[in-house]
Amino acid sequence: MTIKDLQTEMIAAMKAKEKNRKDTISGLIAAVKKVAIDEGCRDDIPESMVETVILKELKEQVETCPEDRTELLAEYNEKVNIISEFAPKQLSADEIKTIINEKFSDVLASGNKGLIMKSVMCELKGKADGKLINQIVAELCK
């Protein structure tokens, strides 16, 4: 997903008069641009940065949703669904185990969880949830 793709989707939402979708995508674009400015790559925003920001925004939407406010719950769910459309596909636990066993068998043999996590996260960052990766590495180190 590139910044241009997001902008195209926002324009399509504006033409379709889908206010919530346009606002959500606009928020994503603003978050991506803010991170790009902070990182010093304002003019050439890499696709990996866009995907990282989308995942972060998705996680924030899920974590900040107030469960006791039912009138806001539908709005949060709609935003989560819209952001999920643009989020990169996440690997399953089985796929993560397979990758770790195939590519990192030499590091896995050391039994050093910190070293394993360092190696694995370079490969899987943005492709899978860090907590899930940590759980699987802990399982494999036993």
Side-chain angles (χ1 to χ4, degrees):
M1 178 65 52
T2 65
I3 191 78
K4 293 281 186 208
D5 295 337
L6 284 175
Q7 290 169 335
T8 303
E9 286 291 328
M10 186 179 74
I11 291 168
M14 288 168 60
K15 288 180 180 177
K17 296 187 180 358
E18 297 173 332
K19 184 176 177 357
N20 289 340
R21 183 174 175 79
K22 184 210 69 99
D23 291 344
T24 303
I25 297 170
S26 176
L28 284 176
I29 292 171
V32 169
K33 286 183 176 181
K34 181 186 180 319
V35 170
I37 290 169
D38 292 345
E39 296 290 322
C41 57
R42 181 178 180 181
D43 297 328
D44 187 28
I45 302 172
E47 197 170 320
S48 61
M49 182 183 291
V50 174
E51 291 175 352
T52 302
V53 171
I54 290 172
L55 289 174
K56 182 180 176 199
E57 291 293 314
L58 181 62
K59 189 173 182 180
E60 284 179 11
Q61 283 295 320
V62 172
E63 290 176 354
T64 60
C65 180
E67 292 181 23
D68 57 333
R69 303 273 311 269
T70 55
E71 70 275 5
L72 292 177
L73 198 56
E75 184 180 326
Y76 273 86
N77 286 335
E78 185 179 354
K79 282 186 177 184
V80 166
N81 291 337
I82 293 169
I83 295 172
S84 295
E85 291 177 31
F86 305 108
K89 180 188 170 290
Q90 298 292 287
L91 297 173
S92 69
D94 292 333
E95 291 172 322
I96 295 169
K97 280 183 185 176
T98 304
I99 291 172
I100 291 173
N101 285 327
E102 286 177 2
K103 293 187 176 181
F104 302 101
S105 58
D106 54 333
V107 181
L108 196 58
S110 72
N112 183 342
K113 186 179 175 190
L115 182 63
I116 296 167
M117 282 299 292
K118 187 175 182 180
S119 303
V120 169
M121 286 307 288
C122 290
E123 176 79 19
L124 299 179
K125 187 171 183 161
K127 297 178 184 175
D129 184 42
K131 291 178 184 176
L132 182 60
I133 295 170
N134 191 15
Q135 274 181 326
I136 293 170
V137 168
E139 254 178 51
L140 294 173
C141 285
K142 289 182 182 177

